[in-house]
């Protein structure tokens, strides 16, 4: 089963409007972290925002906010007041504890398939 | 004052050659990673080092060998390059293995095999 699912291959938004990028995850752990990264066409990976599983408040970072719904296992990224420079690929990722001693999940990020966001003027 | 830097940015080489990618971070982190991004943009972990100790070694061919001379450096050596190795390779680092610690990525190395 997919650990991280991003169901929107592509999204379009008008400049200055808000957009929500969907992310659902699958874990049996109680302690995990959820992260969003931006990859512009130039190729670098830029860390945007994170949410801890025990955080009661939704994370916010400037124009980015994370709509965390633990019961639904969703961690959607909301970008407010979209700008042309927001056009990029966006990845949702999860970091879990090792499932057992020596488990191979130790510290790695598991990524979703990504969503390409295009901001129109 | 680049946080995670990789060299080279582009690597074009022929099948069968051996090549290395270098990574350095100046964030003071103790954990470093190599990820591979394929042609469909899917990112997958390859290796991870914590305090110079290998802690993640995903199913990667033996032709790939990471080396961490110190906590700030993690290099990737690839022997006998194959067409399927063409991808973008990202180095990343984090402070510790805690699930709440974000990983910071380098700009990637685009490897093209002719």
């Amino acid at each position: 089963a997919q650990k991280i699912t991003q169901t929107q291959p592509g999204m379009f938004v008008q400049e200055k409007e808000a957009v929500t990028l969907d992310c659902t995850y699958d874990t049996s752990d109680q302690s995990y972290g959820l992260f969003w990264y931006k990859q512009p066409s130039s190729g670098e990976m830029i860390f945007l925002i994170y949410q801890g599983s025990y955080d009661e408040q939704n994370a916010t970072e400037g124009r980015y906010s994370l709509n965390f719904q633990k019961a639904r296992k969703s961690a959607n990224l909301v970008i407010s007041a979209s700008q042309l420079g927001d056009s990029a690929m966006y990845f949702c990722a999860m970091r879990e504890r090792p499932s057992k001693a020596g488990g191979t999940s130790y510290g790695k990020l598991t990524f979703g398939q990504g969503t390409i966001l295009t901001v129109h003027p | 004052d680049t946080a995670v830097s990789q060299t080279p940015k582009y690597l074009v080489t022929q099948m069968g050659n051996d090549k290395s990618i270098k990574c350095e971070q100046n964030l003071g982190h103790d954990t470093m990673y190599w990820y591979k991004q394929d042609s469909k943009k899917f990112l997958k972990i390859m290796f991870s080092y914590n305090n110079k100790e290998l802690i993640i070694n995903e199913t990667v061919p033996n032709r790939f060998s990471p080396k961490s001379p110190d906590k700030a450096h993690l290099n990737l050596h690839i022997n006998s390059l194959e067409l399927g190795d063409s991808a973008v390779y990202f180095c990343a680092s984090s402070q510790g293995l805690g699930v709440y610690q974000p990983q910071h990525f380098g700009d990637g190395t685009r490897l093209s095999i002719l």
Side-chain angles (χ1 to χ4, degrees), chain A residues 39 89 91 112-114 116, chain B residues 37-43 86:
Chain A
Q39 187 174 37
M89 186 100 161
F91 290 97
Q113 311 93 312
I116 299 175
Chain B
Q37 186 174 41
D38 63 23
S39 58
K40 294 185 179 176
K41 299 288 191 180
F42 187 67
L43 277 146
S86 294

Side-chain angles (χ1 to χ4, degrees), chain B:
Chain B
D1 59 343
T2 307
V4 182
S5 59
Q6 295 178 228
T7 52
K9 191 169 173 65
Y10 299 97
L11 194 47
V12 181
T13 189
Q14 298 209 322
M15 250 185 355
N17 284 350
D18 303 339
K19 289 293 177 187
S20 291
I21 307 171
K22 295 187 175 182
C23 179
E24 175 182 3
Q25 54 92 7
N26 62 6
L27 295 166
H29 290 165
D30 59 3
T31 308
M32 296 184 73
Y33 311 81
W34 280 111
Y35 287 85
K36 179 179 179 180
Q37 186 174 41
D38 63 23
S39 58
K40 294 185 179 176
K41 299 288 191 180
F42 187 67
L43 277 146
K44 193 171 178 208
I45 186 77
M46 298 174 70
F47 302 103
S48 174
Y49 274 76
N50 175 250
N51 284 314
K52 300 195 300 174
E53 181 187 346
L54 180 67
I55 56 166
I56 295 177
N57 185 351
E58 292 286 287
T59 311
V60 177
N62 290 340
R63 300 181 294 102
F64 290 79
S65 52
K67 277 199 173 60
S68 181
D70 55 57
K71 288 195 293 187
H73 295 85
L74 179 61
N75 303 324
L76 183 64
H77 187 76
I78 316 169
N79 288 326
S80 304
L81 281 156
E82 299 178 357
L83 287 175
D85 297 333
S86 294
V88 181
Y89 293 86
F90 283 98
C91 177
S93 73
S94 69
Q95 182 51 41
L97 299 165
V99 296
Y100 300 159
Q101 294 295 331
Q103 295 179 15
H104 296 271
F105 284 73
D107 287 349
T109 295
R110 184 175 294 277
L111 175 61
S112 299
I113 310 300
L114 303 176

Side-chain angles (χ1 to χ4, degrees), chain A residues 28-29 96-107, chain B residues 55:
Chain A
S28 54
D29 247 352
E96 301 167 280
R97 289 178 313 165
S99 52
K100 57 185 82 168
T104 60
S105 66
Y106 215 152
Chain B
I55 56 166

